[in-house]
Amino acid sequence: MTRRSPSHPTPDVPGPGQESVWDYPRPPRVERTASRVVVRLGGQVVADTTGAVRVLETSHPPVYYLPISDFAPDALVPTSGSSMCEFKGSASYFDVHGGDQVVRRGAWTYPTPWQGYGELRDLVAVYPSQMDSCEVAGERVRAQEGDFYGGWITADIVGPFKGEPGTLGW
């Protein structure tokens, strides 16, 4: 990994078959993926889909959004609170239930996404750091540090990634 200044990150050079988060656009792009995505919590599969999309934004690992219909029954329970994304609009939250575990506000959705992000309607993202595991195409993902963005890091993604200590000024 390359040494970098906190205020001026030096992008890692992608190898064959890799992509750099520094090549992702801003505002973010929504992109369909054919990869199988599996989420586990409490020793159970709480979501399993081949209908996910990735949201790609400069300096951020992809965030995977899964069809709400591909979550196990009773895995998602709406909860209070909301947050605002400058691009996607107002997010609502879910508690995620799996086995004997409950992760409060472990998932979010955009019930009425803003123009350009309508594809996110009826899709849900989870924080991978709060689940037992999240997998993309059989690979267990590493959670983006800082947990603010909920990014999913796989071997084919290189950074550096915003969210890690010292990166808030990027």
Side-chain angles (χ1 to χ4, degrees):
M1 192 169 280
T2 309
R3 233 184 217 302
R4 49 188 128 298
S5 154
S7 60
H8 296 1
T10 302
D12 295 332
V13 176
Q18 291 184 315
E19 53 191 49
S20 171
V21 298
W22 292 93
D23 293 330
Y24 293 164
R26 186 167 171 88
R29 176 177 75 234
V30 178
E31 177 182 274
R32 292 207 167 274
T33 177
S35 296
R36 182 176 180 204
V37 177
V38 179
V39 177
R40 291 182 177 79
L41 179 65
Q44 296 183 340
V45 172
V46 295
D48 188 342
T49 189
T50 55
V53 301
R54 306 185 310 161
V55 173
L56 308 176
E57 181 175 358
T58 304
S59 78
H60 304 278
V63 175
Y64 284 76
Y65 286 78
L66 293 62
I68 196 168
S69 59
D70 289 342
F71 279 80
D74 304 319
L76 299 174
V77 176
T79 191
S80 62
S82 65
S83 63
M84 183 62 65
C85 171
E86 66 182 304
F87 301 111
K88 298 178 285 288
S90 181
S92 299
Y93 288 84
F94 295 99
D95 293 340
V96 183
H97 295 248
D100 61 355
Q101 292 187 335
V102 176
V103 175
R104 304 276 178 227
R105 293 173 57 101
W108 70 96
T109 188
Y110 292 94
T112 54
W114 288 348
Q115 184 176 0
Y117 296 93
E119 198 170 356
L120 296 179
R121 187 179 336 273
D122 299 323
L123 300 180
V124 175
V126 300
Y127 289 104
S129 66
Q130 296 180 18
M131 303 296 117
D132 290 351
S133 66
C134 295
E135 297 173 9
V136 176
E139 178 185 349
R140 186 177 181 144
V141 306
R142 181 169 54 95
Q144 177 180 15
E145 285 188 51
D147 227 16
F148 178 78
Y149 302 103
W152 297 37
I153 302 170
T154 54
D156 59 346
I157 307 295
V158 298
F161 309 112
K162 187 168 183 172
E164 295 176 359
T167 65
L168 293 180
W170 291 357

